[in-house]
């Protein structure tokens, strides 16, 4: 059944509750009996009372006009129907409290009497509760016309309500913001096209900004043609240390051109307008609540100037320039010809950045510049070091599901300027030279960290972060892996406010899930931070989703536990071995479909050492599992891959959300709709807990290249992807140690044999010392 997890509800005094309710035109009188207050509330609400029942003997209308006393069973029987649960089928009218408890419905203290004060408090809490369609009751009623569309702020429980007209009076305009970079080296600053959607308001608006290089189009054909062949042997690297130097294109080296003054636009109005385009539903939700929505694609994208620099601080500068413009520190123009300037006189200067994947990546990058005006980032499945996305421990590694992709491939995809024939004509030849240089500097031959990757690593600049950081990441995301969230979490200075939502999905959004009030929680957070109100929301540091329970979220104090358990991988004198080489038919089959390889690997049918470990007691893994291995191979180079499964048939969460209801969430007022989704709990034979990869020549240090002597034992410490995962007594962890991975690594098919000394190999697991809350 449905289970709600609500973190957005803010405790209020009784007088504050009365004031909030009065703001919605609900009048209560504690001198009246509780049943009369209930009746007055229901008569004011936008609900057809003739469709509801109070008990299994009385309709609601009959109950309100009878002498039957109000009980908590009756109150919540009515309340559950208001939340769209079906009486007699989903719950019993005579036992509503049991269903409400199973639902995790927020309730008052049911040991108290049903006095007017207690019932009014229960009404207040019920209005903050989620309906089955994943909208709170108050938001649903507002969407049904409880309040007028007056383009003014209205609040309930310190959250902004959808009272801004998003159907008739939205302004949709675009401007060209002047960046501080010249990626084409043409002697002029690159202009960045910015699309703005804002409601009418007699005042200034805060901004929800999403930076996405996909926003204005992608070049899919060029992307597909650029994919790299994965069927290549592993390269042996010369021994030594890697020295890192700062890249040439750093903030300190940005150009300093004269800025020719231009006249202001008439009435400070943009000249360019648009009607359609991709929008993020979380931004749409806030648009109806008095927040402007801005989309920026940065350098090298359609409508902007410059080349696609793919993750460096030039690309980031194209994003932060927009924040500077919103705060009066940068210029914007009505057209690319720069004939007229205009200011963001409608903006407060307060900005939050949102978005998943590359979008969350640019939010991380912008935060590490310390740009003033960026108050909060909501980084969803973002990259914090591009090396960690396309490489791992000295090894070329493709993100999950995308074998053969690399940063130059992504550059081709996102260099959408080529989609406009004029830009193709004037810029493509030079861009292809830059792209070829990128391919060289990526160094797919060695897979090593270098200055090019260092220029695309935001972690060294985490000390510059001043914005609050809200991280959202899936523990089953093996595209942008959880190490990005984990490393950024731990790199942040202690004074930075940070929170994390860590779910059990893959590379997905969670703002439309039924089980968690993510949007409402962010509403409470941003209403305070961007509208300059005190933050009254008590948000835990880490909210995580249980992996073996349906719609269950709990809290932790940190991402990463310090309590480490040690397990040997074998008994005295126990060894294991595996080969790297496959026959041509098997190799070709795995290369054509890496999913076939994964199926065989998890079933113990591929070339791998398979070690099953019994779990002695209930525990929660929190952090990075570390493998300490004693290994040898009959060659001078090798790949080491490892995965850990929760093995054995039982119910586990799917990693992709299914749709529970189509277009059921009204994001505003008949403006935009979203589907209700959630992860299903299904029977499955295993679940990946974590994985990791390594070039054995980089086993000591990322910046150190060591020798591999044939048939000589090596001591290898391998950190796997961080996770939060709950295990139970007598569960089985299946450890798979192997070489080539057909989804992630280069497909090296040399004839190499690996041997493990299991007696001298260890598994170190970070565990929570107590129960999570």
């Amino acid at each position: 059944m449905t289970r709600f997890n609500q973190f957005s509800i803010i405790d209020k005094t009784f007088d504050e509750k009365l004031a909030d309710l009065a703001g919605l035109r609900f009048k209560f009188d504690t001198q009246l009996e509780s049943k009369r207050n209930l009746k007055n509330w229901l008569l004011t609400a936008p609900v057809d009372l003739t469709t509801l029942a109070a008990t299994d003997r009385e309709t609601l209308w009959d109950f309100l006009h009878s002498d039957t006393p109000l009980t908590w069973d009756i109150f919540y029987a009515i309340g559950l129907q208001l939340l769209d649960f079906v009486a007699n089928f989903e719950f019993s009218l005579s036992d509503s409290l049991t269903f409400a408890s199973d639902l995790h419905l927020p309730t008052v203290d049911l040991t108290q009497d049903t006095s007017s004060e207690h019932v009014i408090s229960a009404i207040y809490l019920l209005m903050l509760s989620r309906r089955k369609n994943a909208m709170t009751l108050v938001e649903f009623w507002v969407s049904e016309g409880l309040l007028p569309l007056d383009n003014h702020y209205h609040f309930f429980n310190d959250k902004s309500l959808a009272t801004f007209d998003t159907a008739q009076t939205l302004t949709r305009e675009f401007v060209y913001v002047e960046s501080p970079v010249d990626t084409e080296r043409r002697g002029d600053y690159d202009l960045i096209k910015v699309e703005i959607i804002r409601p009418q308001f007699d005042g200034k608006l805060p901004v929800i900004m999403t930076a996405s290089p996909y926003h204005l189009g992608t070049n899919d054909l060029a992307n597909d043609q650029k994919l790299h062949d994965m069927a290549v042997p592993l390269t042996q690297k010369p021994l030594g240390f890697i020295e890192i130097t700062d890249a040439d294109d750093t903030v300190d080296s940005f150009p300093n051109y004269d800025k020719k003054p231009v006249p202001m636009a008439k009435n400070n109005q943009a000249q360019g307008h648009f009607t359609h385009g991709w929008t993020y539903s979380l931004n749409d939700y806030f648009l109806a609540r008095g927040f402007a929505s801005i989309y920026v694609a940065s350098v090298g994208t359609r409508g902007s100037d410059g080349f696609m620099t793919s993750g460096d601080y030039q690309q980031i500068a194209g994003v932060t320039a927009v924040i500077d413009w919103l705060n009066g520190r940068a210029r914007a123009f009505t057209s690319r010809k720069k004939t007229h300037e205009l200011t963001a006189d409608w903006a407060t200067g307060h900005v939050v950045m949102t978005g998943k994947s590359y979008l969350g990546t640019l939010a991380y990058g912008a935060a590490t510049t310390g740009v003033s005006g960026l108050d909060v980032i909501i980084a969803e499945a973002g990259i914090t070091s591009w090396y960690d996305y396309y490489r791992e421990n000295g090894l070329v590694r493709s993100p999950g599901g995308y074998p053969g992709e690399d940063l130059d491939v992504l550059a081709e995809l996102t260099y959408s300027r080529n989609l406009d024939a004029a830009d193709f004509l004037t810029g493509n030849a030079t861009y292809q030279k830059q792209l070829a240089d990128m391919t060289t500097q990526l160094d797919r031959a060695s897979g090593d960290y270098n200055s090019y990757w260092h220029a695309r690593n935001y972690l060294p600049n985490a000390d510059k972060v001043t914005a609050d950081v809200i991280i959202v990441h899936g523990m089953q995301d093996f595209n942008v892996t959880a190490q990005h969230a984990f490393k950024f979490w731990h790199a942040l200075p202690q004074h930075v406010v940070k929170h994390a939502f860590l779910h059990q999905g893959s590379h997905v959004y969670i703002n439309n899930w039924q089980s968690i009030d993510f949007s409402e929680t962010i509403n409470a957070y941003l209403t305070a931070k961007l509208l300059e109100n005190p933050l009254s929301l008590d948000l835990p540091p880490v909210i995580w989703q249980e992996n073996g329970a349906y719609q269950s979220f709990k809290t932790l104090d940190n991402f990463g536990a310090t309590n480490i358990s040690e397990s040997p991988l074998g008994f005295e004198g126990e060894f294991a071995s595996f080969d790297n080489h496959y026959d041509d038919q098997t190799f070709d089959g795995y290369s054509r479909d890496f999913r076939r390889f994964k199926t065989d690997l998890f079933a113990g049918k591929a070339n791998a050492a398979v070690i099953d470990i019994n779990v002695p007691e209930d525990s929660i893994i929190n952090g990075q599992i570390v493998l300490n291995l004693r290994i040898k191979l009959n060659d001078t180079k090798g790949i080491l891959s490892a995965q850990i499964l929760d093995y054995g048939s039982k119910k586990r969460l799917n990693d992709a959300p299914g749709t529970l209801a189509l277009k059921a969430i009204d994001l505003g007022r008949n403006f935009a709709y979203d589907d209700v989704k959630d992860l299903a709990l299904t029977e499955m034979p295993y679940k990946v807990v974590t994985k990791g990869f390594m070039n054995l020549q980089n086993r000591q240090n990322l910046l150190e290249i060591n020798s591999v002597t044939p048939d000589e034992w090596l001591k290898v410490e391998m950190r796997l992807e961080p996770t939060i995962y709950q295990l139970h007594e007598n569960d089985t962890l299946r450890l798979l140690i192997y070489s080539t991975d057909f989804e992630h690594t280069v497909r090296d098919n040399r004839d190499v044999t690996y041997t493990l000394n299991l007696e001298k190999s260890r598994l170190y697991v970070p565990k929570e010392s107590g129960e999570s809350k």
Side-chain angles (χ1 to χ4, degrees), residues 301-305 336 415-429:
T301 60
R302 204 169 192 175
S304 296
D305 297 329
R336 292 175 79 175
Y415 183 59
S416 54
R417 284 188 63 193
N418 264 353
L419 298 177
D420 288 329
D423 278 343
F424 182 92
L425 185 64
T426 58
N428 182 62

Side-chain angles (χ1 to χ4, degrees), residues 374-444:
L374 181 59
D375 296 319
V376 185
I377 65 166
I378 305 169
E380 304 181 59
I383 296 165
T384 56
S385 168
W386 283 91
Y387 180 87
D388 290 339
Y389 186 61
Y390 287 118
R391 306 287 185 271
E392 186 168 344
N393 296 316
L395 187 67
V396 172
R397 177 182 61 77
S398 298
Y402 298 93
E405 186 184 301
D406 210 328
L407 191 57
D408 54 350
V409 180
L410 188 62
E412 279 281 57
L413 178 71
T414 55
Y415 183 59
S416 54
R417 284 188 63 193
N418 264 353
L419 298 177
D420 288 329
D423 278 343
F424 182 92
L425 185 64
T426 58
N428 182 62
T430 305
Y431 179 65
Q432 292 304 324
K433 294 178 182 177
Q434 176 180 304
L435 190 64
D437 180 62
M438 176 187 290
T439 301
T440 299
Q441 294 194 63
L442 295 178
D443 190 9
R444 285 185 65 86

Side-chain angles (χ1 to χ4, degrees), residues 251 313 316-317 320 364-372 374 461 464-466:
V251 174
Y313 276 97
I316 299 300
T320 56
Y364 277 132
T368 60
T369 68
V371 60
S372 178
L374 181 59
N461 294 313
K464 298 182 179 68
V465 174
T466 58

